[in-house]
């Protein structure tokens, strides 16, 4: 059984061995010890708001359907027919009363209950009463974010997240005055040829921006006609590990002036801003300031990041393949011009043709290439290690360019990978 791989020799304080990114046996162990054992993000409630709404995704390697049944209950069903294992739903998202297996035609309600089979006479009469699509035993939400777990004895989601991560998530998910935010129905997805942990590390990496994203800063500087101030480098900014692998880059106080300049420099920016002012009067400026989000990068271990104004899901496919889904948050009700501003701001950095995400993806591919040189097979995460500040419980903090978040992520990773007790 490959789950028996012992990863302890591959983790040192502030260093991770290349095998952790390369070894298929490590990947398989991660799927069972992390992705089948703790809480995994599966979507935002607004994606499955109405009875019959569903979306398909994977938890680790396993295909699931996140479905709101006819009884209004949100379930996470395994996308595998109880007859001979065909997947029963192929669409990425939709609304359906039932899922009909294409192979022999078994049909399941959106609650997972089997309701019809062709030529039922050769089966016992109670077949449809006794067969359900398997469903995950635990589904819980926090601030509209839906998490599920294969582990029936996983502690409550709120405990897993902890007070500090909960507070940051609340700040992020409510950052639009009192307007309700919902997940955009469409997202963009990228298949990256690299290990999933590179995305996990990178979303909380305050050290790489100046070099990886140099072209973004120079283009913004040209557009705005002034140097781009990075909140992330201000004196108030901190990187934090929050326990259980969760982490944050917190800019502290945000300076709104450079953000306003960025909004004005967006395509159609000044026109859209003028229209919002016309429609919203005194409310307009705070709403416009909220377009860029709270400036937090939040990482919820193992597969969720909240960055800019978007929700980012990390889906591991194999040891060197990962799907990253980027889904912006929009206002549930108008004005449409505000959502247009939000989208233009989002696209500038994180859209498929944005200036930020493609550079990160290129970095992952280069790490993947470099990992083939194994003479000195260690990756260093020592930046800021000696003056890391210890807070309450597992909490640690440092300068924003320190590798505090990554060390926190690997502490949680190691614990789950070597510990046989129920996941925390
Ligand atoms: S595999 Fe689904 S009905 Fe046969
Ligand atoms: Fe980046």
């Amino acid at each position: 059984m490959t789950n028996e791989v012992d990863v302890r020799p591959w983790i040192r304080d502030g260093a991770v061995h290349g095998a952790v990114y390369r070894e298929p046996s490590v990947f398989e162990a991660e799927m069972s010890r992390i992705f089948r054992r703790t809480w995994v993000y599966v979507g935002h409630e607004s994606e499955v708001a109405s009875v019959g709404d569903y979306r398909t995704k994977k938890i680790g390697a396993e295909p699931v359907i996140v479905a709101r049944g006819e009884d209004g209950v949100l379930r996470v069903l395994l996308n595998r027919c109880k007859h001979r294992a065909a997947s029963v739903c192929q669409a990425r998202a939709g609304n359906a009363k039932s899922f009909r297996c294409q192979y022999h035609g078994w049909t399941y309600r959106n609650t997972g209950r089997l309701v019809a089979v062709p030529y039922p006479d050769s089966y016992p009469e109670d077949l449809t009463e006794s067969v359900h699509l398997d469903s995950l035993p635990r589904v819980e939400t926090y601030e509209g974010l839906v998490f599920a777990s294969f582990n029936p004895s996983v502690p409550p989601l709120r405990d897993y997240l902890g007070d500090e991560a909960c507070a940051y998530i609340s700040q992020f998910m409510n950052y639009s005055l009192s307007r309700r935010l919902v997940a955009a129905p469409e997202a963009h997805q990228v298949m990256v040829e690299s290990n999933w942990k590179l995305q996990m590390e990178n979303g909380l990496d305050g050290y790489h921006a100046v070099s990886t994203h140099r072209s973004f800063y120079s283009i913004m500087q040209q557009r705005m006609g002034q140097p781009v101030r990075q909140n992330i480098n201000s004196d108030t900014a901190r990187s934090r590990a929050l326990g259980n692998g969760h982490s944050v880059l917190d800019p502290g106080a945000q300076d709104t002036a450079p953000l306003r300049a960025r909004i004005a420099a967006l395509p159609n920016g000044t026109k859209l801003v003028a229209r919002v002012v016309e429609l919203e009067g005194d409310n307009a400026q705070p709403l416009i300031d909220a377009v860029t989000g709270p400036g937090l990068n939040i990482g919820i271990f193992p597969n969720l990041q909240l960055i800019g104004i978007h929700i980012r899901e990390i889906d591991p496919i194999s040891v060197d393949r990962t799907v990253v889904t980027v889904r912006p948050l929009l206002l549930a009700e108008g004005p449409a011009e505000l959502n247009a501003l939000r989208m233009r701001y989002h696209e500038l950095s994180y859209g498929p043709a944005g200036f930020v995400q493609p550079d990160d993806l290129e970095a992952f591919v280069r790490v993947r290439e470099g990992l083939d040189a194994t003479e000195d097979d260690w990756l260093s995460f020592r930046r800021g290690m000696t003056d890391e500040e210890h807070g309450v419980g597992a909490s640690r903090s440092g300068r924003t360019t320190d590798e505090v978040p990554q060390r926190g992520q690997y502490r949680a990773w190691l614990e789950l990978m070597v510990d046989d007790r129920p996941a925390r």
Side-chain angles (χ1 to χ4, degrees), residues 43-251:
H44 187 265
E45 272 181 327
S46 58
E47 295 171 67
V48 280
S50 306
V51 163
D53 283 355
Y54 68 84
R55 66 169 296 203
T56 52
K57 70 162 279 143
K58 286 192 171 178
I59 297 184
E62 306 196 32
V64 298
I65 313 168
V66 182
R68 190 167 301 278
E70 59 195 10
D71 53 1
V73 174
L74 191 57
R75 294 180 180 81
V76 178
L77 307 166
L78 284 186
N79 193 1
R80 172 185 165 135
C81 182
K82 296 298 283 188
H83 180 220
R84 283 184 7 222
S87 61
V88 299
C89 180
Q90 284 69 44
R92 196 170 286 174
N95 184 283
K97 284 199 168 80
S98 57
F99 303 108
R100 183 176 176 277
C101 179
Q102 174 251 9
Y103 200 176
H104 310 92
W106 285 26
T107 302
Y108 303 86
R109 268 291 172 265
N110 52 22
T111 58
R113 189 167 72 85
L114 181 65
V115 285
V117 301
Y119 311 116
D121 298 353
S122 305
Y123 282 118
E125 257 176 32
D126 66 349
L127 178 77
T128 51
E129 272 105 81
S130 57
V131 175
H132 289 74
L133 292 176
D134 289 322
S135 64
L136 268 67
R138 300 286 294 278
V139 179
E140 292 179 20
T141 63
Y142 183 73
E143 293 286 10
L145 303 169
V146 185
F147 295 77
S149 183
F150 279 100
N151 179 358
S153 55
V154 71
L157 174 65
R158 186 77 183 58
D159 294 352
Y160 174 67
L161 296 173
D163 290 344
E164 285 187 295
C166 281
Y168 279 117
I169 292 171
S170 295
Q171 188 187 346
F172 191 96
M173 297 304 292
N174 296 301
Y175 198 77
S176 196
L177 300 183
S178 52
R179 310 287 168 107
R180 192 164 62 90
L181 292 176
V182 290
E186 301 298 335
H188 90 264
Q189 283 192 321
V190 188
M191 168 80 84
V192 201
E193 303 220 337
S194 64
N195 188 269
W196 66 279
K197 296 188 293 298
L198 292 175
Q199 177 64 75
M200 178 188 85
E201 296 161 9
N202 171 269
L204 279 297
D205 184 336
Y207 188 33
H208 78 295
V210 181
S211 46
T212 301
H213 301 306
R214 194 179 313 176
S215 60
F216 172 76
Y217 293 115
S218 68
I219 284 160
M220 287 311 292
Q221 191 156 329
Q222 278 170 26
R223 282 195 190 172
M224 288 159 49
Q226 55 178 275
V228 179
R229 286 268 314 278
Q230 290 178 63
N231 281 311
I232 210 71
N233 285 339
S234 74
D235 296 339
T236 56
R238 300 294 282 168
S239 62
R240 292 180 204 281
L242 308 171
N244 287 351
H246 314 318
S247 50
V248 68
L249 295 182
D250 181 354

